Amino acid sequence: MNPLKTLKFQIAAALALLIILFSCVFSLSIMSMDEQRRYNILLNLTSRLEHSARNLVSLGVSYAMHAPEDDQAYQRDIKLYYQGIKDQTDLITEITNGFMYEKFSPSLTDMEETFQPDLNLDPAVHLAVRAVEDAWAEFQSQLDEALGKDPTMPRLNKAAMFISSKHQPLTESIDALRAQIQRLGDARLEQINALYWALLITGLIITAGIFSWFFITVLRPLKNAVLGFHKVSRGDFGHQVPVTGNNEISWLTSSFNQLSSRLNTLFRLIEKIQQGSDVEDTLCFVAEQLPDLLPLDWIGALFVSADRSAINFEHSFFDGNHERGHSRHFKLKGTILEHALDSGEPIHIPDMLHTAKQNPRFQFLNHLVKKGLRDAIFLPITEQSLVPGVLAFATRTPDSYTPEHLELLTNIANLVTHSFGKTVKLVEHGRLAAVGEFASGITHEIRNPLSTITMALDYLRNSELHGSAAKRANLAHQEAIRVERLLEEILLYAKPMTLELQPLDLRGLLSEFLELDTEPAALGQQKSMLYADEKTYTIQADADRLKQVILNLARNASDAAPDGSEISWRLSDDPETRTVRLQITNGGEAIPSEQLARLFDPFFTTKPHGTGLGLGIVKKIVEAHGGEIKIESDSTTGTTVTLQIPMA
C-alpha cells in the first residue's frame, strides 16, 4: 500500500498546504504591520527633523524682529534664544546622525531598544539622507561661525540674520527626505498589499481546489457507497458500487462490492439448496458458485453408514465436472472426518500430503492426495441432516485457504450445512416415501395369499391330525399369525400418519391404563407405579395412537425389568417450554451403547421374536404429535424412556 495514495496522507497534505498558505498570509500581515510601523517611525523622525528646522528658523526670525535695545535685554535673549537655538541644533544633529548611521536612540523613538531602519536598499532615500547631512553640515558650520566662538557672548543678531536668509537649502533637503521616505513606504506597502492579495487569492483558489478534490474524491464516492449500502440493506445483494480512485474509500468500496457479490452468491446458493431435492444437483450448484467465495478445485459429499463404521463417498465434482463411478467407502473411526462430525466445527488441513504421510490410516485423506489435492476444509453436516455427513472442499495448492476463507466458511457453515442438510432431508424423505409406497404395495400383495394359507392351516388344525403332523400345523399357524402381525406393523410404519387430535388428560389416561390392568401381558410380573401431581396434564393427542405408544413402552419395560421390580411412570410439566414430560424407568441390565444408538432403526431388535418396528412406530407417533422421545440406559438406574409432548 503506497502511503502517498492514502486519504490520510492526502488530506493531511491538503491541510498542511492550507496552513502554510494562511500562515504566509498571516506572516505577511505581520510583516506589513511591522513595515508600516518602521516607516511611521521614520516619518515621525523626519517630521521632528522638519519641525526642529522650522523652530530654528522661527527663533531666528523672531530674534531678528525683536532685537534687544540694551544690554539687559541682550542677556535675557542669550538665555532664551541662544539656548533654544542650541536645543534645536542638537536635536537636528542627533536625528541627522541617526539617518546617517541608521541608528536612532530610544529617546528619539520612545522605543525600548535602538531603532535601526534599513535605508541602504533604496538609492533615492540614501541620496536624500546624504543631501540632508551635507546641507546640515554646511548650515551648522556657518551658524557656528555666525554665533562666534564665545558662548557667553554669542552673536545672536548675526546668527538670526543667517538663519533667516540661509535656511532654505536645509529645509528643502529635509522635505525631500520626508518625501522619499513617504514614497518608499507607500511603494513597499503597495508591494506587500499586492503580495498579500496574491497569496490570499491563491489560497482561496487552492482552498476551492481542495474542496473540489474533497468532494470528487471523498464526498461523492462516499455518497455512492452509502446509497449502495442502502440498496444492499433493502435486499439488492448483487448491487455493485462504481470504484473510482485508489484510496481508502475505493478500497472500502471494493471490499463492499466483494461482500455484496459474496452475499448474492451465498443467498443464491442457499436458495438453490433449499429448493433442491437432489444431492448431486445441489452439489453441482455449490461447485459452480462457491469458487466466487474461496479457492475450489474439488468438492465432495460423504455420508455416514448406518452402523457408523464407514463413511460413503457418494458425489464429487473436480474442476466443475462431475466425477463418475467414484462411489467408495472409507474407514471413519479414528479419522479426521470422525473428529469433524464429533466436534461439529470445520477442520482445515493446510498440507494434506504431510498429514497423509504421517497417518496412512486416513484413507479418504490419502484418496484426495492421490488426486493431486493439497489443501482441504471439512465441513460437517450433523444436526441439520437425517444422515450425518461431511462436505469436503479442496484445492491443489497448499495453504490456499487463508484465515479470511476459514472465517468466511465458519460464518456461513451453519447456513450452508442447515440448507444442505435440508436437501439431504428432502432426499431422505423421498426415499422413505418410496420405501413406504413399496412396503404398502408388497404388504397388500402378501396378505392375500397369507390369508389363504392361514385358512388352510385352520382347516388342517381342525382335522384329525396326529403326532408330529398336528404339531407342525400348529407351529405353521403361529408363524402365519406372526407374519400377519409383522405385515400390519410394516404397513403402520410405512403409511403416512393421520391423527384425530383432541384435548386429552395424560395423567388420567395413564391412571386408567395402569389401574384397569387391561393388558396383563404388557405389565408382566412387575409393579408399575405412577408418580404425578394431582392436576391435569392436558395435551392435544389421538387417544388410540397414544394408548398404542403406552402399551408398547409398557411391554418393553416389562420384558427388560426383573420379576418383582418396580417400573416407575413419572409425569411432570415444564411451563417454560410448555411441554409435558413422561419418564418410564425400569431396572435391569443396561443396554449396550452400540445397541442404544440403533433402537429406533427399523427391523433392529434384541428380542428373539421381535419385529424391530415397535419403537420405530412409537417414535413416529410421538413425532407426529410434535413431541420427542429418547432412551437412556446405565447400570445404576436402569433404562429410562423420556417422552416430551407439547401442552394443549
Side-chain angles (χ1 to χ4, degrees):
M1 183 184 298
N2 188 352
L4 299 179
K5 294 182 179 180
T6 62
L7 279 178
K8 178 181 178 181
F9 174 81
Q10 294 172 359
I11 293 176
L15 291 175
L17 180 59
L18 286 176
I19 291 172
I20 291 172
L21 281 172
F22 285 100
S23 297
C24 291
V25 172
F26 179 75
S27 300
L28 190 60
S29 299
I30 298 297
M31 186 176 68
S32 65
M33 292 174 62
D34 186 60
E35 286 280 332
Q36 184 68 43
R37 183 179 62 85
R38 290 173 61 243
Y39 283 109
N40 286 339
I41 293 173
L42 288 174
L43 288 174
N44 287 335
L45 290 170
T46 55
S47 296
R48 290 186 66 182
L49 184 61
E50 186 179 34
H51 183 68
S52 296
R54 288 177 181 173
N55 287 340
L56 184 62
V57 173
S58 297
L59 287 172
V61 173
S62 176
Y63 187 83
M65 292 176 61
H66 304 90
E69 297 178 354
D70 52 26
D71 185 62
Q72 184 179 0
Y74 175 73
Q75 291 298 325
R76 183 197 63 197
D77 290 343
I78 290 175
K79 294 180 180 179
L80 181 62
Y81 287 99
Y82 181 70
Q83 187 61 43
I85 291 172
K86 291 295 292 181
D87 290 342
Q88 296 303 322
T89 55
D90 290 343
L91 181 58
I92 292 172
T93 300
E94 185 179 4
I95 295 174
T96 303
N97 288 337
F99 275 107
M100 184 171 59
Y101 297 110
E102 297 186 7
K103 184 182 294 184
F104 297 92
S105 65
S107 62
L108 294 175
T109 60
D110 294 330
M111 297 174 63
E112 295 180 357
E113 298 178 354
T114 301
F115 176 61
Q116 293 180 303
D118 187 7
L119 301 176
N120 292 328
L121 298 177
D122 191 88
V125 175
H126 183 66
L127 290 174
V129 170
R130 292 299 301 269
V132 171
E133 291 174 358
D134 294 342
W136 173 246
E138 184 178 355
F139 184 86
Q140 186 179 24
S141 64
Q142 293 180 6
L143 178 61
D144 290 341
E145 184 179 350
L147 285 171
K149 296 182 179 180
D150 186 1
T152 60
M153 294 295 292
R155 295 176 290 190
L156 293 177
N157 188 34
K158 188 176 181 179
M161 293 300 293
F162 171 77
I163 292 172
S164 300
S165 60
K166 301 296 183 181
H167 68 84
Q168 193 70 27
L170 176 61
T171 55
E172 288 179 354
S173 65
I174 292 174
D175 290 341
L177 176 60
R178 178 180 172 82
Q180 288 297 331
I181 291 177
Q182 183 70 47
R183 179 195 59 79
L184 180 61
D186 293 342
R188 293 295 296 272
L189 288 177
E190 287 180 3
Q191 292 176 359
I192 291 175
N193 285 336
L195 182 60
Y196 175 83
W197 282 106
L199 284 175
L200 185 60
I201 292 172
T202 302
L204 292 175
I205 293 173
I206 292 177
T207 302
I210 289 175
F211 275 106
S212 300
W213 165 83
F214 189 76
F215 176 78
I216 295 172
T217 307
V218 178
L219 295 181
R220 185 157 56 184
L222 198 59
K223 178 182 178 182
N224 293 334
V226 171
L227 291 176
F229 295 159
H230 284 310
K231 287 188 177 182
V232 171
S233 67
R234 289 194 296 265
D236 185 6
F237 298 112
H239 179 73
Q240 298 288 292
V241 179
V243 179
T244 57
N246 187 14
N247 51 42
E248 287 91 338
I249 294 181
S250 63
W251 303 332
L252 174 65
T253 304
S254 299
S255 299
F256 170 76
N257 287 340
Q258 187 179 22
L259 172 63
S260 176
S261 177
R262 286 182 172 182
L263 282 174
N264 187 47
T265 301
L266 179 61
F267 277 92
R268 287 173 54 225
L269 173 65
I270 294 176
E271 181 181 7
K272 176 68 177 178
I273 291 176
Q274 288 178 332
Q275 294 175 353
S277 58
D278 181 78
V279 175
E280 180 181 341
D281 180 59
T282 303
L283 202 64
C284 176
F285 185 83
V286 173
E288 291 174 354
Q289 299 298 324
L290 219 58
D292 291 339
L293 306 181
L294 73 165
L296 186 64
D297 295 322
W298 182 93
I299 183 172
L302 302 94
F303 297 99
V304 178
S305 62
D307 59 0
R308 290 187 63 89
S309 63
I311 191 164
N312 303 324
F313 178 25
E314 295 194 7
H315 300 285
S316 64
F317 285 80
F318 203 168
D319 292 331
N321 299 316
H322 186 221
E323 291 186 299
R324 303 289 180 181
H326 286 278
S327 180
R328 292 183 54 184
H329 305 285
F330 297 98
K331 181 181 177 182
L332 178 63
K333 191 170 182 61
T335 65
I336 293 175
L337 298 178
E338 184 183 42
H339 179 62
L341 289 168
D342 291 340
S343 66
E345 299 291 335
I347 292 182
H348 179 212
I349 310 296
D351 187 358
M352 289 191 292
L353 181 61
H354 177 72
T355 306
K357 285 182 178 180
Q358 290 185 334
N359 301 275
R361 69 180 184 279
F362 291 174
Q363 298 176 356
F364 179 66
L365 211 62
N366 281 277
H367 173 75
L368 295 182
V369 169
K370 290 178 182 179
K371 289 177 157 305
L373 301 169
R374 293 295 179 265
D375 195 354
I377 295 177
F378 302 112
L379 193 65
I381 310 170
T382 52
E383 296 180 358
Q384 296 84 4
S385 175
L386 290 173
V387 182
V390 173
L391 281 178
F393 309 89
T395 184
R396 294 182 174 89
T397 308
D399 297 312
S400 293
Y401 295 118
T402 64
E404 180 185 7
H405 297 136
L406 290 176
E407 184 178 2
L408 172 66
L409 261 186
T410 301
N411 290 335
I412 68 173
N414 288 335
L415 290 174
V416 172
T417 55
H418 178 77
S419 301
F420 202 88
K422 184 176 180 180
T423 301
V424 174
K425 284 185 178 181
L426 290 174
V427 175
E428 187 67 15
H429 282 308
R431 291 174 179 173
L432 291 176
V435 170
E437 185 177 352
F438 171 77
S440 297
I442 199 69
T443 299
H444 285 295
E445 291 296 326
I446 294 176
R447 290 179 90 177
N448 292 330
L450 184 63
S451 297
T452 303
I453 294 173
T454 303
M455 290 173 62
L457 290 173
D458 285 338
Y459 175 78
L460 291 174
R461 289 175 63 212
N462 293 327
S463 300
E464 293 183 0
L465 297 177
H466 302 282
S468 60
K471 290 182 180 180
R472 287 189 177 91
N474 289 329
L475 180 61
H477 184 267
Q478 293 175 3
E479 290 300 313
I481 296 300
R482 192 170 75 87
V483 170
E484 186 173 359
R485 188 174 72 250
L486 176 61
L487 289 176
E488 290 177 356
E489 291 187 355
I490 291 175
L491 191 60
L492 179 61
Y493 184 80
K495 286 171 57 179
M497 183 67 63
T498 57
L499 303 176
E500 295 182 5
L501 299 177
Q502 58 184 355
L504 178 67
D505 179 15
L506 185 56
R507 187 176 70 86
L509 182 67
L510 286 173
S511 298
E512 180 182 356
F513 175 80
L514 297 176
E515 290 175 3
L516 293 180
D517 195 13
T518 55
E519 286 283 344
L523 302 181
Q525 302 301 318
Q526 296 82 17
K527 181 180 180 182
S528 293
M529 295 295 296
L530 176 61
Y531 299 92
D533 294 337
E534 293 293 329
K535 63 179 182 179
T536 302
Y537 297 85
T538 306
I539 60 174
Q540 284 288 120
D542 185 320
D544 292 336
R545 296 293 189 186
L546 209 55
K547 288 179 181 178
Q548 187 176 0
V549 169
I550 294 172
L551 179 60
N552 192 294
L553 295 178
R555 286 174 176 170
N556 288 342
S558 177
D559 290 343
D563 291 342
S565 64
E566 178 184 292
I567 299 175
S568 66
W569 299 69
R570 298 183 183 275
L571 197 58
S572 61
D573 58 1
D574 188 347
E576 290 188 5
T577 60
R578 292 196 54 79
T579 57
V580 175
R581 176 182 296 176
L582 173 62
Q583 290 183 306
I584 304 102
T585 303
N586 62 268
E589 296 182 1
I591 302 174
S593 58
E594 60 272 10
Q595 294 182 6
L596 193 64
R598 301 186 59 193
L599 289 179
F600 296 109
D601 291 348
F603 303 110
F604 175 80
T605 182
T606 58
K607 301 176 183 179
H609 301 289
T611 62
L613 290 174
L615 285 177
I617 294 171
V618 166
K619 183 179 181 182
K620 186 175 181 179
I621 295 174
V622 172
E623 290 180 348
H625 283 80
E628 297 179 357
I629 182 171
K630 65 178 181 179
I631 301 177
E632 298 171 310
S633 184
D634 58 60
S635 57
T636 303
T637 60
T639 300
T640 300
V641 180
T642 303
L643 278 72
Q644 280 189 292
I645 302 175
M647 294 181 183

